[in-house]
Amino acid sequence: MRYSKTHKDETRLKLLSSSRAITKKGGFSVTSVDTLMSAVGMTGGAFYNHFPSKQALFQAVIEEEVENSREMLAGDEDSSDDHVIKWLRKYLSVSHALHPDEGCVLPTLGPEIARAGPEVRLVVEQGVKSIQKAWSARTEDSDAAWAIIAQCIGALALSRMVETDETRQEILHANLRVIEKHHLRKPDNQ
Amino acid sequence: MRYSKTHKDETRLKLLSSSRAITKKGGFSVTSVDTLMSAVGMTGGAFYNHFPSKQALFQAVIEEEVENSREMLAGDEDSSDDHVIKWLRKYLSVSHALHPDEGCVLPTLGPEIARAGPEVRLVVEQGVKSIQKAWSARTEDSDAAWAIIAQCIGALALSRMVETDETRQEILHANLRVIEKHHLRKPDNQ
DNA sequence: GTCTATAGCATGATAGAC
DNA sequence: GTCTATCATGCTATAGAC
């Protein structure tokens, strides 16, 4: 045979991985199938050997992204305060704001998720609920966990809407300070 | 003449107003010029008598939305605690989450703003900075003002990504409670 | 000022060669 | 399993009739 047995699987993985980055940067619906396929060195027609529709790819992208986010938090063994603060500093960083392709899906594809079908939204709901549950162990109460999640998503989204780096940094740093001050469980309470 | 002198102005206003609602609901880039013009009873070609390009309409939409948001807060004379809390309850409501066409632009068109040109982002930056300044008078410090803004945007965006009404309400109410508890200036401090 | 018609191109998806 | 070719449709934008 012209292609190895695992070639299709490898192609699918490469396609998914590159599509995740490209669509987080530029938006999903505005990015064409041709663009996504060119990125893995193929033409548009070959796409439909891997996914039945563009919509199916969106679902797969979101599922992988949500699972990825969950692992970075919920499945994390080192839940020390120091580690949590380090994670927050990375999330609420100018570097994260300037590189949406390598970052969290929710601030960049959020509205497209909101307009998607129930299957996609259910996946996201399960994901954020499990993240909220994981955060609750480290916050003052369960409300604070939802507050941190909303604040992280909102601050990052907002920081990308402004033009100057000064304001971008001001938004991110202010939100980081507020989370550290109000929401995180204090070390002496442990 | 077949059309009154003010007809063009009226059409432009109607077009802008209906485009604001339609694109906040469905997304700007995915909505066609034909769709927007049909909504005001005209065909696609007539669009270019009012705006030089679709991108120019986007800028006009964002400018009007930002100005509208600013007026609802910054230019608000009644800045009593009661009034502020009422506003927050309305913003963080299930009704707002379910009707993006009548609500705040930032949670629904945020990523499209982030991907737009510097002109659009500058307008948004000036707008949110003036909103943050207005909030600062009612919060414990200026960081808290940024936190409220980020939390509102993030909570609303997140509440629209989940499928069930239960989770939607949980997210919104939790964030409302946290803002009331931590960030607002206490009445006895006035 | 609005219309129809159309250019010119990109899109999502399919069929068949290899 | 991937390719090229193609379909039908959609898009932004323009030209010219009325």
Side-chain angles (χ1 to χ4, degrees), chain A residues 50 99 152-153 157 160 162 176:
Chain A
H50 303 282
H99 297 99
C152 281
I153 293 172
R160 288 176 178 150
V162 301
L176 184 59

Side-chain angles (χ1 to χ4, degrees), chain B residues 13-23 35-37 39-40:
Chain B
L13 285 178
K14 263 203 306 189
L15 173 59
L16 239 177
S17 159
S18 90
S19 295
R20 284 166 62 188
I22 294 171
T23 60
T35 302
L36 296 174
M37 292 304 284
V40 292

Side-chain angles (χ1 to χ4, degrees), chain A residues 29-47:
Chain A
S29 50
V30 297
T31 306
S32 72
V33 170
D34 264 3
T35 301
L36 297 174
M37 292 304 283
S38 299
V40 292
M42 294 191 217
T43 31
F47 173 81

Side-chain angles (χ1 to χ4, degrees), chain B:
Chain B
M1 60 183 71
R2 282 212 290 164
Y3 301 94
S4 74
K5 268 169 70 178
T6 59
H7 190 185
K8 185 173 181 179
D9 292 344
E10 287 167 10
T11 300
R12 194 196 139 102
L13 285 178
K14 263 203 306 189
L15 173 59
L16 239 177
S17 159
S18 90
S19 295
R20 284 166 62 188
I22 294 171
T23 60
K24 279 194 290 182
K25 187 180 181 75
F28 187 87
S29 49
V30 297
T31 306
S32 71
V33 169
D34 265 1
T35 302
L36 296 174
M37 292 304 284
S38 300
V40 292
M42 296 190 219
T43 35
F47 173 82
Y48 297 92
N49 290 321
H50 303 281
F51 292 95
S53 68
K54 202 193 174 195
Q55 169 63 27
L57 172 66
F58 183 64
Q59 178 146 358
V61 163
I62 299 300
E63 279 174 7
E64 282 229 339
E65 285 289 332
V66 167
E67 188 51 40
N68 196 263
S69 297
R70 180 164 26 198
E71 279 170 11
M72 279 188 66
L73 279 164
D76 208 326
E77 292 169 12
D78 179 8
S79 63
S80 68
D81 281 13
D82 192 51
H83 179 262
V84 167
I85 289 179
K86 265 188 191 153
W87 186 92
L88 279 169
R89 286 218 179 100
K90 239 172 86 180
Y91 195 101
L92 294 172
S93 69
V94 174
S95 163
H96 189 185
L98 295 179
H99 297 100
D101 51 324
E102 301 166 3
C104 178
V105 219
L106 301 184
T108 174
L109 294 186
E112 300 200 63
I113 293 169
R115 294 172 194 126
E119 311 86 13
V120 174
R121 290 215 305 276
L122 262 176
V123 168
V124 172
E125 177 166 348
Q126 296 306 321
V128 296
K129 277 176 81 172
S130 99
I131 290 173
Q132 185 263 349
K133 203 176 164 189
W135 272 109
S136 293
R138 307 161 193 171
T139 55
E140 297 201 325
D141 53 39
S142 72
D143 281 358
W146 280 125
I148 290 178
I149 296 172
Q151 226 174 309
C152 282
I153 294 172
L156 199 64
L158 188 63
S159 78
R160 289 177 178 150
M161 298 182 218
V162 301
E163 175 62 16
T164 73
D165 285 333
E166 290 77 15
T167 309
R168 201 184 332 280
Q169 190 153 342
E170 187 181 338
I171 293 168
L172 295 170
H173 287 187
N175 275 280
L176 184 59
R177 284 190 295 265
V178 167
I179 292 176
E180 290 187 5
K181 181 177 171 190
H182 287 300
H183 301 322
L184 289 185
R185 197 178 52 183
K186 303 303 179 294
D188 43 322
N189 288 355
Q190 292 196 37

Side-chain angles (χ1 to χ4, degrees), chain A residues 53-78:
Chain A
S53 67
K54 202 193 174 194
Q55 169 62 27
L57 171 65
F58 183 65
Q59 179 147 358
V61 163
I62 300 300
E63 278 173 8
E64 283 228 339
E65 286 288 332
V66 167
E67 188 50 41
N68 196 264
S69 297
R70 176 156 40 191
E71 279 170 11
M72 278 188 65
L73 278 164
D76 209 324
E77 294 169 11
D78 179 8

